[in-house]
């Protein structure tokens, strides 16, 4: 993200209009970078440069409670990735993107498929609820008939709900 900010002008982009997006674990990573100011601050960049986040079928957005993952992924799956040496007793809290929601967090568009697992649908809804509780502008959209894998196929199709929703979100939140 810091590299993009530093180099976007060379490619015709505007460093004042950076949007982050990701699917599944990518949604967790994009949300984490947008919500936790520390990684960008270490690079000498303000987190306010992120104009918005598009979370698509987010996984691992809230790891603080095992219940949202059932049925579905076991917590050991996440622990192997975020706490492989078992050294950090607070890893669930630190790895959860929702932990870092603050009053100046960027707006979010949250997309998920109606045919995704209950645990993935719950992750999207938890993100929506936590952002709303903090007064952060966000919109959640359920994409009818789409599974976790098929969600990606909707992102570039103007005849599906996802692509127009993303373009509308970007247009509404970009700096002119």
């Amino acid at each position: 993200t810091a590299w993009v900010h530093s180099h976007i002008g060379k490619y015709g982009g505007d460093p004042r209009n950076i949007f982050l997006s990701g699917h599944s674990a990518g949604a967790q990573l994009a949300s984490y970078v947008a919500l936790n100011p520390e990684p960008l601050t270490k690079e000498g960049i303000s987190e306010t440069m992120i104009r918005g986040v598009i979370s698509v079928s987010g996984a691992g957005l809230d790891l603080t409670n095992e219940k949202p993952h059932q049925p579905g992924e076991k917590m050991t799956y996440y622990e192997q990735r975020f706490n492989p040496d078992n050294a950090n007793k607070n890893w669930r809290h630190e790895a959860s993107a929702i932990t870092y929601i603050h009053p100046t967090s960027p707006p979010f568009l949250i997309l998920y498929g109606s045919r995704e697992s209950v645990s993935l649908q719950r992750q999207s809804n938890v993100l929506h609820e936590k952002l709303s509780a903090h007064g952060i502008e966000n919109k959640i959209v359920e994409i009818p008939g789409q599974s976790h894998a098929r969600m990606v196929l909707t992102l570039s199709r103007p005849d599906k709900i996802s692509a127009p929703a993303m373009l509308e979100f970007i247009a509404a939140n970009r700096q002119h």
Side-chain angles (χ1 to χ4, degrees):
T1 303
W3 184 92
V4 168
H5 181 262
S6 298
H7 293 86
I8 195 169
K10 295 177 188 175
Y11 298 94
D14 183 348
R16 298 172 307 145
N17 283 306
I18 295 177
F19 289 80
L20 301 181
S21 181
H23 172 262
S24 194
Q28 190 274 346
L29 294 171
S31 298
Y32 182 89
V33 169
L35 294 171
N36 182 355
E38 187 176 330
L40 291 176
T41 301
K42 283 183 180 179
E43 296 294 325
I45 298 170
S46 170
E47 80 274 10
T48 60
M49 65 113 183
I50 298 171
R51 300 296 303 160
V53 180
I54 302 169
S55 173
V56 182
S57 304
L61 298 165
D62 176 15
L63 298 170
T64 61
N65 182 348
E66 286 192 44
K67 186 177 179 189
H69 304 285
Q70 296 174 4
E73 299 84 1
K74 302 289 183 213
M75 193 55 71
T76 55
Y77 173 87
Y78 294 104
E79 187 168 16
Q80 290 169 351
R81 282 140 184 88
F82 292 110
N83 192 29
D85 57 4
N86 294 318
N88 185 353
K89 301 296 182 215
N90 203 28
W91 71 269
R92 289 183 191 190
H93 179 76
E94 291 174 9
S96 297
I98 64 158
T99 297
Y100 304 97
I101 297 171
H102 57 282
T104 61
S105 294
F108 272 70
L109 173 63
I110 305 163
L111 305 171
Y112 71 94
S114 67
R115 294 184 55 217
E116 293 193 76
S117 69
V118 171
S119 62
L120 286 171
Q121 290 184 33
R122 173 104 169 86
Q123 288 294 298
S124 291
N125 281 292
V126 166
L127 177 60
H128 168 66
E129 291 165 8
K130 298 286 185 181
L131 289 166
S132 296
H134 283 82
I136 305 303
E137 176 190 336
N138 73 95
K139 181 178 181 181
I140 188 166
V141 180
E142 180 182 77
I143 309 302
Q146 299 304 314
S147 66
H148 190 66
R150 294 195 56 84
M151 279 295 294
V152 176
L153 300 174
T154 71
L155 300 180
S156 63
R157 301 260 321 258
D159 60 329
K160 301 291 182 184
I161 295 171
S162 301
M166 293 183 335
L167 292 173
E168 180 182 306
F169 175 76
I170 292 168
N173 291 290
R174 68 185 291 272
Q175 191 171 15
H176 300 282

